[in-house]
Amino acid sequence: MVDILFVSPPTPSPEEHAGYNLNAPPLGIGYLAAILRENGFEVDAIDLAFSDKPVADLRQKLRESDPRVVGFYTTTVTYYGTERLLAAVRKDHPEAITWVGGPHVSYEYETALASSGFDVVFLFEAEHSVLEAAKVQLRGKGRLDDVAGIAFRRDGRTIKTTPRAREKSLDIFPYPARDLFPIKKYTRPGSIMSSRGCPVKCIFCIASTFEDAYRYRSPENVVGEMKLMYEQWGINDFYFVDNVFTTYRARAREICRLIREADLPIGWYCVSRVDYAEPELMQDLASAGCYRIELGVESGDPSVIGGMKKHISLAHVYRAADVILNLGMQPMFTFQVGHPHDTLDSIEATLRLAEEIREMGAGAYLSVTTPYPGAPMMIEREKYGIVLETTNWEDFRWSNPTYRTATLSRNDIRKAIYRGAVGMARTLAEGKFQDPPSAPWLRFGPNGNGMRLPPPPTSRSDDDTALFSVPDRKRTLPVLQVAR
């Protein structure tokens, strides 16, 4: 018998979304499992992303582990699937206590308790709350009423406890318990989270509603985790899942310095912003093995960008492409269509900018601006002129419009997504978009390309508030990439 079994549900069809979960182990569950094990609880986990028959596989896992608590992590698109898995637990293991957490139920906790029938809902970050709840429900120490950051039902009514303050010192948490998952099966096993939250307030993102939510781990703690993953599993390709890895540039540079000093045969990629892509910082990233940078642009129309509260300009986009490409890295620009301020004309501007970016050798991907629970776009959808045309949570995917706006039909948005996908497919077929030579699968191994990284910059300013001046578009920078 184990104390807690954590369950990560599969993403529903279509197939490309089901496959997305195969990329990386569920870090959220990994953190919860690690802190519980550190405090003497026996924990197990199952990632059903790999399952063709998730209910049957969960039932088999229940028989093997005989858990006292079954805890689920769910998002909006996986919520109905999680309900189906909960029904299997209730049928086969009725004595088990059931927990659920994740961004969806943090806002929809009333439904999760009253309609779905979970015993406890964990609201937002849950490391401390899970540990306290486990002590109450498994060791009989204390009361659920005194556990901050949860909701539960008693005598037919919902009780929501005091909100939990977010942990400021992320270094106190142990590294995620990746050993609970089949690491070798994932296509992106090296996912790592060096910070939480986001200081930017984009209206389509739930992170924009969190106050004082942006916190970050120390560079030493982050690189220590990378070393452990390399030594334990041989992982040499890392992805920083942070909303914006380069928010504090001095910290990003220090992480780069420690990566260089570790002298590991690794590569990595991260998310940044186009207005942070100043040459000095980007050269620092490239010199430490960064080979790809994802940057959100969202639209080719400045007025739409302004409505999203992105606080960037199109000049930043061209500048970022120039800087990153000239350093031998690969920029991946992401766009959205269907924003409340979008029109057919602004969508055309977005598609043109995406094509122009691809002609430069960068990636450009389109998705649907989706109003997830908790995001300002969902909370204030009447203000933004959003009319939902489905309430099926499984429809809330980045490739599927769920609403119409004052200027766009649901089909207008579908057509734009299709044209964006066709454009990227054509770019790939024509060979204009290729893996950068610094990618770890090209640099290392018996047939490595012998490529050397550029050196770190010789001078720098650690003023994290300073922004670089934006030159004319398509300015050609010196090529800093060192030739073979």
Side-chain angles (χ1 to χ4, degrees):
M1 172 181 285
V2 302
D3 293 315
I4 301 107
L5 170 67
F6 283 112
V7 182
S8 182
T11 303
S13 295
E15 185 179 352
E16 65 268 22
H17 292 281
Y20 184 80
N21 269 13
L22 302 180
N23 280 336
L27 289 182
I29 287 177
Y31 272 109
L32 300 182
I35 199 166
L36 286 165
R37 291 202 305 198
E38 191 174 66
N39 284 271
F41 291 96
E42 188 174 350
V43 184
D44 200 355
I46 181 171
D47 186 355
L48 294 170
F50 297 98
S51 176
D52 294 327
K53 45 185 191 312
V55 172
D57 287 346
L58 176 58
R59 284 175 168 164
Q60 176 63 31
K61 189 70 171 180
L62 290 170
R63 288 190 292 270
E64 294 171 355
S65 60
D66 190 22
R68 299 171 65 190
V69 173
V70 181
F72 296 89
Y73 174 86
T74 185
T75 62
T76 298
V77 75
T78 65
Y79 186 70
Y80 291 151
T82 303
E83 284 187 317
R84 291 189 283 272
L85 296 170
L86 173 64
V89 174
R90 291 299 190 208
K91 181 179 179 180
D92 292 3
H93 215 63
E95 70 279 8
I97 299 166
T98 57
W99 293 348
V100 68
H104 182 82
V105 294
S106 291
Y107 295 98
E108 298 287 327
Y109 61 89
E110 287 273 14
T111 300
L113 293 168
S115 299
S116 303
F118 289 98
D119 293 320
V120 181
V121 176
F122 293 88
L123 309 174
F124 307 105
E125 291 178 8
E127 281 90 349
H128 294 307
S129 302
V130 157
L131 179 57
E132 292 177 15
K135 290 178 179 178
V136 171
Q137 295 186 300
L138 298 180
R139 294 178 178 170
K141 297 181 178 179
R143 305 183 312 145
L144 276 184
D145 306 63
D146 299 325
V147 178
I150 66 171
F152 58 95
R153 297 274 287 179
R154 179 186 293 143
D155 300 328
R157 65 187 185 94
T158 297
I159 297 172
K160 182 182 179 183
T161 64
T162 304
R164 181 173 292 278
R166 290 180 177 83
E167 176 58 59
K168 298 292 185 183
S169 179
L170 298 183
D171 284 7
I172 72 168
F173 294 137
Y175 296 149
R178 292 182 174 86
D179 59 288
L180 293 175
F181 304 104
I183 291 296
K184 295 296 184 180
K185 287 187 177 182
Y186 294 102
T187 58
R188 190 189 291 163
S191 293
I192 184 171
M193 182 185 298
S194 81
S195 65
R196 298 186 184 185
C198 185
V200 190
K201 302 296 183 183
C202 303
I203 69 168
F204 54 83
C205 181
I206 62 172
S208 66
T209 65
F210 301 162
E211 295 299 329
D212 301 321
Y214 184 74
R215 294 137 301 141
Y216 51 91
R217 296 162 54 193
S218 68
E220 293 79 9
N221 186 267
V222 173
V223 178
E225 184 176 2
M226 297 174 77
K227 288 179 181 177
L228 176 66
M229 293 165 70
Y230 176 77
E231 292 166 358
Q232 189 164 353
W233 290 291
I235 295 172
N236 68 353
D237 184 13
F238 296 87
Y239 171 51
F240 286 97
V241 300
D242 307 35
N243 285 312
V244 184
F245 174 74
T246 55
T247 295
Y248 286 109
R249 277 151 274 186
R251 171 182 171 270
R253 290 181 179 126
E254 179 64 10
I255 290 174
C256 291
R257 184 185 70 80
L258 293 176
I259 291 174
R260 289 192 299 267
E261 287 184 357
D263 196 27
L264 298 175
I266 65 172
W268 51 279
Y269 69 109
C270 65
V271 179
S272 186
R273 284 173 53 92
V274 292
D275 52 336
Y276 291 176
E278 45 105 356
E280 210 166 62
L281 175 61
M282 294 297 105
Q283 187 178 356
D284 230 336
L285 267 61
S287 71
C290 180
Y291 63 90
R292 180 181 295 142
I293 302 179
E294 186 178 316
L295 309 112
V297 180
E298 319 314 352
S299 178
D301 186 311
S303 65
V304 176
I305 294 174
M308 290 185 174
K309 300 184 179 180
K310 288 287 294 185
H311 305 295
I312 60 172
S313 71
L314 296 184
H316 286 124
V317 179
Y318 296 115
R319 170 67 162 179
D322 250 353
V323 170
I324 295 168
L325 286 167
N326 276 311
L327 282 163
M329 297 184 289
Q330 184 183 70
M332 303 277 283
F333 294 95
T334 57
F335 297 86
Q336 297 184 20
V337 292
H339 185 269
H341 296 93
D342 250 333
T343 63
L344 291 175
D345 287 341
S346 69
I347 286 178
E348 289 298 324
T350 298
L351 292 168
R352 284 196 302 271
L353 178 57
E355 280 299 311
E356 192 172 355
I357 288 295
R358 291 174 187 136
E359 288 296 319
M360 297 174 69
Y365 291 91
L366 270 70
S367 64
V368 175
T369 308
T370 303
Y372 289 106
M377 272 182 56
M378 178 63 102
I379 296 171
E380 302 180 276
R381 56 186 180 277
E382 291 185 7
K383 166 187 169 181
Y384 289 112
I386 291 174
V387 179
L388 294 180
E389 294 196 346
T390 176
T391 56
N392 183 344
W393 293 128
E394 290 187 351
D395 289 337
F396 280 64
R397 305 184 304 270
W398 294 337
S399 62
N400 181 50
T402 57
Y403 59 92
R404 67 178 186 273
T405 70
T407 55
L408 297 172
S409 70
R410 198 175 175 186
N411 210 40
D412 291 331
I413 303 171
R414 282 195 187 99
K415 289 177 181 177
I417 288 293
Y418 174 77
R419 289 175 59 192
V422 169
M424 191 61 199
R426 183 174 59 249
T427 300
L428 290 168
E430 293 173 352
K432 296 177 181 177
F433 180 71
Q434 299 178 355
D435 289 335
S438 57
W441 53 88
L442 297 178
R443 279 171 57 202
F444 305 118
N447 299 312
N449 61 14
M451 181 264 179
R452 290 182 294 154
L453 298 176
T458 55
S459 63
R460 66 184 65 181
S461 168
D462 286 341
D463 180 2
D464 282 341
T465 63
L467 291 177
F468 62 94
S469 59
V470 182
D472 293 338
R473 57 177 286 191
K474 292 191 177 180
R475 171 181 172 180
T476 300
L477 300 171
V479 177
L480 299 172
Q481 179 61 59
V482 178
R484 287 181 60 182

